[in-house]
Amino acid sequence: MSNPFEDDNSGYLVLVNDENQHSLWPVWIDVPAGWTTVHGEAPRQECLDWIETNWTDIRPASLLATIDQR
Amino acid sequence: MTTFAEPSTAATAAATATTIATADLLARLREVVGAHPGRAAVHAVDGSLDFAELDRRSAGLARALRGAGVRRGDRVGVHLARTADLPVALLAAWRAGAAYVPLDPAYPAERIAFMAADARLAAVVSADAEPPVPAGVPVLRPGAHAEEDRSAEFAPHPLDSAYVIYTSGSTGRPKGVEVPHGAVAGLAAALELSGAYRPEPAVVAWNASVSFDASVQQWIRICRGDTLVVIDDTQRAEPARLVRLLAEHGVTDLDLTPSHWQLLREPLAGARVPRLFMGGEPVPTRTWRELADAGIDALNLYGPTECTVDAVTAPITGPGPHLGEPLPGVRAHLLDARLAPVTAAGAVGELYLAGPGLAHGYPGHPGLTAGRFIADPFAPEPGARMYRTGDQARRSADGLLEYVGRVDRQVKLRGFRIELGEVEHALGALAGVTAAAVTLYEAAPGDHRLAGYVSGAAGRPADLLSELRRALPAHLVPSTVTVLDALPLTPNGKVDHGALPAPAATPAAAEPAAAGGVDEQVAEVWRTVLGVPDVEQSDDFLSLGGHSLAALRVVHLLRRKLNVELQLRDLLDAADLAGFTAAVRRAAAAGPAAARPTLTARREAVR
């Protein structure tokens, strides 16, 4: 059984939610509510590289905001 | 107090409509300390602590950590053996506002140093003067105690990180999984709501290593007022001793892997069997039926580290293994390759999990995180994520969720989660090795092992294995390494794992058993258990790669084969094969082993 997140020949998007959590997303499946496309359509590896560059701390944004206030 | 509202969805697996009220665990602990200061909190080899003492020590260490510069959002390494210091240090990390990172002192120094650097630790609690952590990281003794601190008691937000636990990583390095406090508090609440944790105070054996997340559901029970019995490595390695310990403290709840149960079932026969929490690997059909038929109070718990220990649970009853139903708050989806729900009975899908138990992800690995923790199209609330487990499952005709296998090359071996790719990377990095492959093979029915294969001008397999032991924890080191001229390849140039030969050092299982005398039979058992082609009378068990579970198997097999009353000590105290064989002869002269008793139910209440 193939997985829609592991297909090197398909196009992908990078989605972001309110907590700045990022999700890889297959371009051919509807984007779920509460998520915004910030990159793509692009090949899978390019999307992953983009995420590595642009999402540096994987913790939720609301948490990081309160930690930074200390 | 935080409330997670989890409305039901039209999900494929039955999602439970539940609202879980989860008080943070430190607040719950404060209530227990106030109400029952004299109740036993911890029993361990190095002593016992009541709740007042646990509170005093963990508060003192927390203040010392803050004095060393630890702040909210930081990470604290815990480099301690299985002693009373361990729960003190874990709670102290939390009370200082930090997440804890377990650093098992038994791991190779190289591995510990990697995890310490990767997690960017702010401090380490260690009984060693110089643990293998980066220079400049403050090291505190577990007994460190600071009195003066102006800061108030730390009350974690549900999103504050509680721990980072490292798991095997397919790209060659272990990867941390960062889990928030809300998920841990939610786990405790869900296990209470489901009835897995009973309302009355329990006596809980802490069996799993703190390096694995199964330990979380064991040790956090201290925060609800349960008594923790910390099992140390030697007690753990010797079933008869462990069983005596369970009786001595009146242990009511025991977590273990099905593999560990196989070693305990005989010594436990006739004794009062605690409630069993089984996880870490699928329960074999034979074990399931044995427990169900005997009426043993046992639960099957399934869940990846990424979903905070447990996601799906079933009482071990009925005809055969199944995963059960999602815990309160967990949503489980069985999805196909188009991300559509799999509804037909018997059809295989991949299991996706959602709910407040999800980890933050893999710190330092945003791409990996974004590929596994993905947007959840089935969530009642917008912007939620779900975790892609890589586990395949199906619904049986009568609606039970059954485990099928993996979509990738992750394996479970004696409860250990292993990425074969990580072992391949480590093997491939050894001098002289040009290519490496690792597979799981069945040396004898039910006896699964890792087999390594290398090509290149590599050294002797025994040397490769001993080099590997310096880099990897014992559970990741293969039983055998086979040197090949070249690895077999598929037409598109990848290693063809199916075409790899049987391991070169396959134990001589085909030889007729009991052919020789006692000498030959003991040697035969060593070869079988250790997976080596030859043993010499001067060989030492441990230096041939024997570990505690292997030692137990040797004793177990010889008890069966020769009907002798052997103890683990007989093997561990022997200098070499000759010495052990002599001990076996003495045991044989002393008389036959006690008859194997049948397992009896001692269930007190049926839920």
Side-chain angles (χ1 to χ4, degrees):
Chain A
M1 190 182 70
S2 66
N3 184 285
F5 294 89
E6 300 283 352
D7 185 356
D8 286 333
N9 300 315
S10 179
Y12 286 89
L13 305 173
V14 177
L15 310 183
V16 170
N17 66 7
D18 284 351
E19 287 284 16
N20 195 39
Q21 290 167 321
H22 287 50
S23 170
L24 187 69
W25 196 255
V27 69
W28 49 274
I29 300 180
D30 290 344
V31 173
W35 293 84
T36 310
T37 303
V38 291
H39 188 75
E41 174 184 354
R44 184 174 186 277
Q45 191 56 49
E46 190 190 315
C47 286
L48 293 176
D49 292 345
W50 191 91
I51 294 167
E52 290 282 336
T53 308
N54 289 277
W55 188 29
T56 49
D57 193 323
I58 56 103
R59 291 177 291 181
S62 66
L63 172 69
L64 294 175
T66 61
I67 288 177
D68 288 338
Q69 281 167 9
R70 76 189 184 203
Chain B
M1 176 172 295
T2 307
T3 301
F4 290 113
E6 279 298 310
S8 68
T9 66
T12 44
T16 320
T18 319
T19 299
I20 310 179
T22 55
D24 97 69
L25 290 170
L26 289 177
R28 295 187 66 176
L29 178 65
R30 280 196 299 276
E31 281 177 30
V32 175
V33 170
H36 310 284
R39 182 189 288 172
V42 181
H43 296 298
V45 280
D46 58 332
S48 298
L49 301 174
D50 63 20
F51 274 93
E53 183 69 2
L54 177 72
D55 180 53
R56 196 190 66 78
R57 283 200 52 198
S58 57
L61 181 55
R63 286 191 294 264
L65 285 167
R66 292 191 67 88
V70 172
R71 293 293 177 267
R72 180 178 168 221
D74 285 345
R75 300 184 187 127
V76 169
V78 175
H79 180 256
L80 292 171
R82 295 160 176 258
T83 59
D85 290 340
L86 190 52
V88 167
L90 300 179
L91 287 171
W94 281 4
R95 295 178 79 158
Y100 72 81
V101 182
L103 305 171
D104 188 337
Y107 280 12
E110 189 181 307
R111 182 88 165 186
I112 293 173
F114 170 81
M115 294 191 292
D118 188 63
R120 298 198 309 273
L121 300 178
V124 172
V125 180
S126 175
D128 294 355
E130 290 181 13
V133 298
V137 177
V139 178
L140 283 80
R141 295 307 180 100
H145 194 88
E147 293 294 349
E148 288 305 317
D149 189 284
R150 285 183 296 276
S151 61
E153 187 73 31
F154 177 68
H157 182 277
L159 292 179
D160 271 311
S161 299
Y163 57 80
V164 177
I165 281 183
Y166 279 78
T167 70
S168 186
S170 59
T171 55
R173 288 291 195 181
K175 60 178 187 284
V177 180
E178 184 163 30
V179 172
H181 272 280
V184 185
L187 171 73
L191 288 169
E192 286 170 336
L193 270 175
S194 74
Y197 290 175
R198 286 167 282 204
E200 64 274 17
V203 181
V204 183
W206 182 353
N207 183 22
S209 161
V210 68
S211 294
F212 301 100
D213 78 330
S215 67
V216 172
Q217 70 185 13
Q218 298 165 43
W219 85 263
I220 59 166
R221 298 183 61 165
I222 210 169
C223 298
R224 63 187 291 274
D226 293 344
T227 299
L228 205 55
V229 179
V230 184
I231 301 170
D232 88 341
D233 286 322
T234 53
Q235 291 163 337
R236 195 164 179 273
E238 202 157 346
R241 239 173 118 175
L242 178 51
V243 165
R244 278 201 303 278
L245 188 76
L246 299 179
E248 181 189 333
H249 291 295
V251 166
T252 59
D253 296 63
L254 173 65
D255 270 71
L256 75 182
T257 60
S259 301
H260 195 187
W261 166 252
Q262 284 311 315
L263 300 168
L264 287 186
R265 62 172 300 291
E266 279 188 46
L268 263 177
R272 184 177 174 284
V273 179
R275 169 173 288 184
L276 303 178
F277 293 70
M278 286 206 159
E281 62 190 339
V283 178
T285 304
R286 195 171 67 92
T287 305
W288 186 287
R289 291 204 177 127
E290 175 188 62
L291 292 167
D293 292 348
I296 304 271
D297 184 3
L299 297 168
N300 183 34
L301 299 151
Y302 158 85
T305 302
E306 288 84 344
C307 299
T308 315
V309 193
D310 300 318
V312 176
T313 174
I316 298 183
T317 56
H322 59 96
L323 295 178
E325 295 305 326
L327 279 169
V330 175
R331 298 189 306 271
H333 306 285
L334 198 58
L335 304 178
D336 67 13
R338 305 178 56 80
L339 231 51
V342 173
T343 51
V348 173
E350 187 170 342
L351 200 54
Y352 290 69
L353 297 169
L358 254 59
H360 286 329
Y362 310 111
H365 301 282
L368 190 61
T369 303
R372 301 302 301 210
F373 294 84
I374 51 180
D376 180 0
F378 308 100
E381 70 281 13
R385 300 187 303 167
M386 61 182 183
Y387 174 68
R388 170 161 75 89
T389 65
D391 285 325
Q392 294 176 315
R394 66 177 167 235
R395 285 264 169 203
S396 68
D398 42 5
L400 297 174
L401 195 59
E402 295 172 342
Y403 178 78
V404 173
R406 289 290 302 176
V407 300
D408 53 19
R409 299 190 62 230
Q410 184 189 109
V411 300
K412 283 295 186 89
L413 190 57
R414 296 191 299 274
F416 295 113
R417 167 172 158 177
I418 298 169
E419 293 284 356
L420 295 175
E422 177 171 9
V423 187
E424 286 172 353
H425 270 267
L427 202 49
L430 299 180
V433 175
T434 53
V438 175
T439 60
L440 194 65
Y441 77 105
E442 198 166 7
D447 181 7
H448 295 272
R449 298 171 191 189
L450 294 180
Y453 298 85
V454 297
S455 65
R460 294 193 312 132
D463 297 335
L464 293 172
L465 284 173
S466 65
E467 274 185 67
L468 216 48
R469 274 184 211 107
R470 284 198 285 275
L472 294 175
H475 64 270
L476 292 179
V477 178
S479 300
T480 62
V481 169
T482 306
V483 181
L484 302 173
D485 292 336
L487 299 182
L489 300 179
T490 61
N492 60 9
K494 296 185 172 179
V495 173
D496 186 352
H497 292 95
L500 288 164
T506 301
E511 282 179 17
V518 170
D519 287 29
E520 175 46 31
Q521 293 195 56
V522 174
E524 155 83 14
V525 165
W526 275 37
R527 284 195 298 268
T528 302
V529 169
L530 295 170
V532 296
D534 288 305
V535 290
E536 305 281 337
Q537 288 297 313
S538 59
D539 276 339
D540 161 52
F541 186 73
L542 296 177
S543 58
L544 286 178
H547 49 76
S548 54
L549 275 181
L552 284 169
R553 282 218 297 276
V554 166
V555 169
H556 183 70
L557 284 173
L558 283 172
R559 283 187 65 173
R560 285 219 170 152
K561 213 167 181 163
L562 302 173
N563 193 28
V564 292
E565 192 67 68
L566 271 180
Q567 301 304 326
L568 195 67
R569 283 262 71 85
D570 296 327
L571 177 52
L572 298 181
D573 290 348
D576 53 19
L577 176 58
F580 177 58
T581 305
V584 173
R585 288 186 189 286
R586 284 194 298 277
R596 176 179 162 121
T598 51
L599 217 49
T600 49
R602 294 296 164 97
R603 196 198 302 244
E604 287 177 337
V606 179
R607 282 184 295 119

